[in-house]
Amino acid sequence: MSAVENAKAVLRRLTAASATERILISFAALVMAVLVGAVIILVSGRITTCQTAATTLFGTGFCYDPVEVYLVLFNGALGEPFLLNDPALFNPNWNPLNFGFALTLKETTLLIFTGLSVAVSFRAGLFNIGTQGQLVLGGLATALFSFFVAPLLPSGLVGGLILIPLAIVVGALVGGLYGAIPGALKAYADANEVITTIMLNFIAAQIAFVLVSEFFGNPDSQVVETTPIPDWATLLPVAFPQGGDFSILALAFGLALVVAVWFLLEQTSFGYDLRTSGEQPEAAEYGGVDAKRTTVTSMFLSGALGGMGGAIWVLMVMGKWQAGVPALGFDGITVSILAGNNPFGVVPAALLFGTLKSGSLAVQFGTGVPKQLVGVLRGLIILFVAMPEFFRMLGSTIDLEPDRETVATDGGRLGGDDE
Amino acid sequence: MSTTTTDRLRDTELSYRATLAGGALSVFLLIALLGLAFPGSIWGNFLTILTSRSTLSSALRLSVPITFAALGGIFSEKAGVVNIGLEGLLIISAFTAVITTAVVGPEMTVLGLPAIWIGFFAGILSSVLFSALFAVVCIRFKADQIIAGLAVWLIALGLAPFAATVYYGGVNTDNLGTTLGTWTIPVLSDIPFFGAFFDADPAVYMMLVAVPASWYVLNRTAFGRHVRASGENPKALDTVGVDVSRVRYAGVLLSGFLAGIGGSALSLGLGQFVGNNQTMVNGKGFIAIVAYLFGNYNPIGAFGASFLFAGLEAAQIRLQQVPGYAIPDSLIQTIPYVTVLVILALVGRTRIPEAAGEHYDTGDDNR
């Protein structure tokens, strides 16, 4: 009894003390990543060749201007609300329901699922690097299920209402079961989940490839992909333009999941067990938590969220499964780390990352800077978030040590890291 | 008490090795037996492939990047820093090696050194610099090693295709039109099967030297003793007056150096860097981690595991050419990963150095 009380006190202290600090660290990491990114843009601007320099610093011309790159990125992600080279500044023709913004929200929606998936495992003290694999197989299960069941249902709205939720459940189940494998290996064979989940990512990609190329492929296609599922069984864009592949329903579902996961983690006894075994494993065991079962269940839950991400990718974006699944699972790691593994933090972190990803296309077209820049920024953000000590030292040398008591006024644990 | 612990450790290690060696040997004997009994069957073909010189030759070549990254991983993790950024180190060195050679000019020689070797060393240098960054982040700034390792991987995964696109306009580099080539040792290379050892990529020779050398350094030198102590019991090392941080820096930099050789050899063996999807490295850094876990942190064991995985891949490539056995190669490529899962599940966890993944504080202010 007293062990439980003790663990609770520790937990309360840990979360209370870290919330503000984590927001500050995420924000500082972001700023640092943007700054280092700017240097990389400048340096790469010296490597490439151009007719006229985009910017001149210290008497040296550079082909890429970092400020312009970031402006174009942000502007492109929102669908050009600003006229960058015009005194009028605001674009009178701007419509919030535009293609660029739909792209941003599409990425955001997908990242909410994978970010939540990673966050759940991290809160349980488990490094689930395997969201990508869970997503790949979950998505494939959804595509196959939809394709085979669709002919049995009435087409149109009624069929969609029956099929789509079922297909998402199937994706979640398959993703969850695939996530439970490393969970069980960790719990019962003491196998390091970092290694096993990475292995399972490769295995998932290869298995899915073989299944589709040998058995379930589209015979009319040169690409390794499944036959498309009928339109009525996919999540169609409601208010947004057709090509943006974004459905507001999926976003709403994602946001509802955020609340559900938060509730599960913070308000239920299962969530309590999960967090204590993540933060204080010994205390949790002592307090009567079945650590093995918690490990498997948390990994199932994490995998199910990853599987749902795959289901949404299939139902909203592709309308089929196709080889070369984007690295949404790995981006989910960034999102979750940036969010301090907090479900609510996942939303602004996913929005930020969605903005980066969708804006990168505008950057490539508008400034010539390759869109892979976002991949670099992703790594840099993780690197800086990983070393809070760096910012503490930086803070103490320039005497701006973040004081926990005095900065607790900036909105607590929600948001704040979205810039 | 400490002797009994050591004894027990040695016993588990011995039984672990015996299990692995026994398993590998019996599988091979089974294939040989089946192959001899039914020469026309798949087993017969398999035996022919396994005993052919070209399979051995390509297995050696394919195991180079995995082995070097694995050797690096051993030094880093034995010193107490888990380096899951090996994949990133391979990517960055593979890319730098090619681009440097291209910038110097593939046909040029500088100070008597062909450009391709300048590229080779530049690749190693880039990997060392990257691992230095990782070391500072992990040791001085006490970052979580797993997350920092992921960051190293993801940065390299973004940076190499980014830089390739800036320079070449696409994620792949142009082909250099030249490779490291092969070094042939006369007479010895004429030996039927084992001649493959003497008619190989220069990196293969480096590997054959690096494996025993790593074993020697780790097990028979003072530095090796410090590295092992730093990962097992940093407090004791500190007590006898050795700077733990310095040993750990050395371990991580060495992992960068070794992985850099692997990465340079990988891309320069082909003469090109391929940046699609997971890049041409395609998980070799992670297989390397598996290889040293599989080899129980022993350089020779790690080489054995790398060679086994590479051998499977080489045999698989050859098997595709035998008509009638169209096994999807994607499925065969899963074998190393599945093997690892089975091994981890059955043999149990290989014993990770006691203090690996943990920060060590000397107690005094080390700013």
Side-chain angles (χ1 to χ4, degrees):
Chain A
M1 190 58 206
S2 78
V4 176
E5 284 307 313
N6 261 341
K8 262 189 187 158
V10 168
L11 205 62
R12 226 176 287 127
R13 207 151 6 99
L14 270 174
T15 44
S18 57
T20 321
E21 204 183 56
R22 292 211 82 138
I23 290 170
L24 283 177
I25 286 168
S26 297
F27 183 71
L30 203 60
V31 172
M32 289 301 292
V34 164
L35 289 179
V36 176
V39 173
I40 291 174
I41 293 167
L42 279 178
V43 171
S44 56
R46 289 297 300 166
I47 297 171
T48 193
T49 47
C50 53
Q51 298 295 315
T52 47
T55 185
T56 310
L57 290 173
F58 314 114
T60 317
F62 294 93
C63 284
Y64 305 140
D65 177 0
V67 178
E68 191 201 344
V69 167
Y70 287 124
L71 282 177
V72 168
L73 191 149
F74 193 67
N75 203 25
L78 295 179
E80 319 284 329
F82 304 108
L83 299 165
L84 294 177
N85 299 316
D86 199 299
L89 196 59
F90 289 104
N91 181 355
N93 300 323
W94 184 68
N95 171 4
L97 304 178
N98 60 58
F99 186 78
F101 194 43
L103 220 57
T104 302
L105 289 177
K106 173 191 88 176
E107 296 288 353
T108 305
T109 307
L110 294 167
L111 291 171
I112 284 177
F113 289 94
T114 55
L116 276 180
S117 162
V118 178
V120 165
S121 71
F122 275 33
R123 283 301 275 276
L126 299 159
F127 279 108
N128 181 12
I129 316 291
T131 295
Q132 182 71 19
Q134 293 140 18
L135 180 143
V136 165
L137 288 189
L140 178 59
T142 296
L144 293 179
F145 176 82
S146 306
F147 174 69
F148 284 113
V149 173
L152 310 175
L153 291 170
S155 60
L157 186 63
V158 181
L161 281 178
I162 303 171
L163 188 59
I164 292 173
L166 280 177
I168 294 177
V169 168
V170 167
L173 266 180
V174 169
L177 291 174
Y178 202 63
I181 298 173
L185 285 173
K186 165 91 175 178
Y188 298 103
D190 209 10
N192 187 329
E193 81 281 9
V194 176
I195 307 292
T196 52
T197 49
I198 290 174
M199 295 301 111
L200 286 164
N201 281 339
F202 286 103
I203 297 175
Q206 311 277 36
I207 289 181
F209 189 90
V210 172
L211 282 181
V212 174
S213 62
E214 301 284 316
F215 304 107
F216 302 114
N218 180 358
D220 304 327
S221 168
Q222 299 297 310
V223 189
V224 177
E225 61 180 19
T226 61
T227 313
I229 44 187
D231 260 355
W232 56 264
T234 61
L235 290 160
L236 296 172
V238 180
F240 283 87
Q242 195 72 35
D245 291 329
F246 167 68
S247 163
I248 197 98
L249 291 172
L251 179 62
F253 176 53
L255 292 176
L257 264 183
V258 167
V259 179
V261 168
W262 169 81
F263 185 81
L264 183 78
L265 284 178
E266 306 289 337
Q267 306 290 320
T268 64
S269 65
F270 169 73
Y272 175 74
D273 289 354
L274 184 143
R275 282 178 297 134
T276 23
S277 38
E279 280 154 39
Q280 297 278 305
E282 289 86 7
E285 282 272 13
Y286 195 62
V289 175
D290 183 343
K292 290 189 195 311
R293 232 182 51 201
T294 310
T295 301
V296 180
T297 331
S298 329
M299 285 299 288
F300 176 83
L301 198 61
S302 173
L305 288 162
M308 275 187 229
I312 298 296
W313 176 69
V314 165
L315 295 175
M316 179 175 86
V317 182
M318 300 300 294
K320 63 193 167 196
W321 188 93
Q322 195 179 65
V325 181
L328 293 161
F330 297 122
D331 293 334
I333 300 174
T334 322
V335 166
S336 177
I337 290 177
L338 198 58
N341 305 326
N342 178 320
F344 287 122
V346 163
V347 178
L351 182 61
L352 168 81
F353 224 68
T355 308
L356 281 179
K357 289 187 80 175
S358 100
S360 66
L361 290 172
V363 167
Q364 179 153 339
F365 289 124
T367 66
V369 175
K371 64 180 193 316
Q372 285 83 2
L373 175 70
V374 172
V376 183
L377 289 177
R378 167 178 73 178
L380 287 171
I381 292 172
I382 295 193
L383 188 74
F384 284 112
V385 179
M387 46 178 190
E389 203 66 20
F390 171 75
F391 296 111
R392 286 198 197 105
M393 285 187 192
L394 201 70
S396 65
T397 44
I398 54 173
D399 203 20
L400 277 172
E401 173 96 300
D403 192 320
R404 283 171 200 158
E405 271 76 43
T406 53
V407 286
T409 51
D410 66 347
R413 50 197 312 172
L414 305 182
D417 47 347
D418 173 28
E419 268 319 307
Chain B
M1 187 214 137
S2 68
T3 42
T4 50
T5 320
T6 334
D7 284 348
R8 214 180 51 239
L9 284 180
R10 194 174 302 131
D11 285 350
T12 49
E13 192 163 318
L14 280 178
S15 72
Y16 171 83
R17 275 192 216 157
T19 316
L20 286 186
L25 195 69
S26 37
V27 168
F28 185 78
L29 282 179
L30 187 70
I31 291 174
L33 215 64
L34 286 168
L36 289 173
F38 311 102
S41 70
I42 183 170
W43 301 108
N45 287 322
F46 207 52
L47 186 67
T48 320
I49 287 172
L50 283 185
T51 51
S52 90
R53 178 174 156 159
S54 61
T55 309
L56 175 64
S57 175
S58 57
L60 280 172
R61 197 168 35 76
L62 289 169
S63 61
V64 166
I66 305 176
T67 305
F68 274 109
L71 293 177
I74 292 176
F75 277 103
S76 178
E77 194 158 335
K78 276 278 184 188
V81 182
V82 181
N83 187 353
I84 71 165
L86 290 171
E87 174 90 1
L89 298 178
L90 286 176
I91 294 174
I92 210 72
S93 51
F95 173 73
T96 312
V98 171
I99 194 124
T100 309
T101 312
V103 169
V104 173
E107 296 85 24
M108 302 290 282
T109 49
V110 180
L111 304 170
L113 209 59
I116 202 153
W117 285 103
I118 295 179
F120 195 88
F121 294 124
I124 298 174
L125 184 68
S126 66
S127 171
V128 170
L129 289 177
F130 238 63
S131 65
L133 172 76
F134 173 69
V136 171
V137 167
C138 285
I139 299 168
R140 179 158 161 77
F141 295 119
K142 301 190 177 70
D144 186 292
Q145 293 170 3
I146 301 291
I147 296 179
L150 279 176
V152 167
W153 170 39
L154 293 174
I155 290 174
L157 193 58
L159 201 54
F162 173 77
T165 313
V166 167
Y167 194 78
Y168 289 102
V171 291
N172 301 340
T173 68
D174 291 347
N175 201 307
L176 293 170
T178 169
T179 63
L180 287 176
T182 51
W183 287 354
T184 308
I185 297 175
V187 185
L188 286 177
S189 60
D190 297 332
I191 301 173
F193 175 67
F194 298 98
F197 282 100
F198 305 103
D199 182 20
D201 193 310
V204 170
Y205 296 106
M206 291 184 204
M207 172 176 77
L208 296 176
V209 173
V211 171
S214 300
W215 182 87
Y216 183 82
V217 168
L218 208 53
N219 292 302
R220 291 287 182 273
T221 63
F223 172 70
R225 216 166 45 240
H226 292 165
V227 165
R228 281 178 294 142
S230 164
E232 293 291 347
N233 193 344
K235 186 98 193 115
L237 192 64
D238 198 14
T239 314
V240 296
V242 178
D243 186 342
V244 174
S245 293
R246 197 174 287 180
V247 174
R248 290 192 166 180
Y249 274 115
V252 177
L253 289 180
L254 205 49
S255 80
F257 173 77
L258 290 163
I261 300 178
S264 292
L266 176 67
S267 60
L268 293 180
L270 187 74
Q272 192 189 13
F273 175 81
V274 182
N276 292 325
N277 300 323
Q278 301 286 305
T279 75
M280 70 192 303
V281 174
N282 197 17
K284 290 187 174 61
F286 293 114
I287 297 185
I289 296 178
V290 168
Y292 72 71
L293 287 179
F294 201 44
N296 212 10
Y297 298 92
N298 180 332
I300 296 168
F303 168 66
S306 309
F307 186 69
L308 185 71
F309 295 153
L312 278 172
E313 199 181 340
Q316 175 266 124
I317 294 169
R318 294 287 310 278
L319 203 57
Q320 300 298 318
Q321 296 154 3
V322 180
Y325 306 113
I327 303 171
D329 57 344
S330 299
L331 212 54
I332 293 178
Q333 280 162 21
T334 61
I335 290 176
Y337 307 112
V338 175
T339 317
V340 168
L341 286 181
V342 173
I343 295 286
L344 283 178
L346 294 184
V347 183
R349 173 198 199 137
T350 53
R351 216 188 65 83
I352 289 174
E354 198 77 32
E358 287 169 17
H359 305 297
Y360 180 70
D361 260 320
T362 47
D364 48 77
D365 194 17
N366 52 353
R367 272 179 203 166

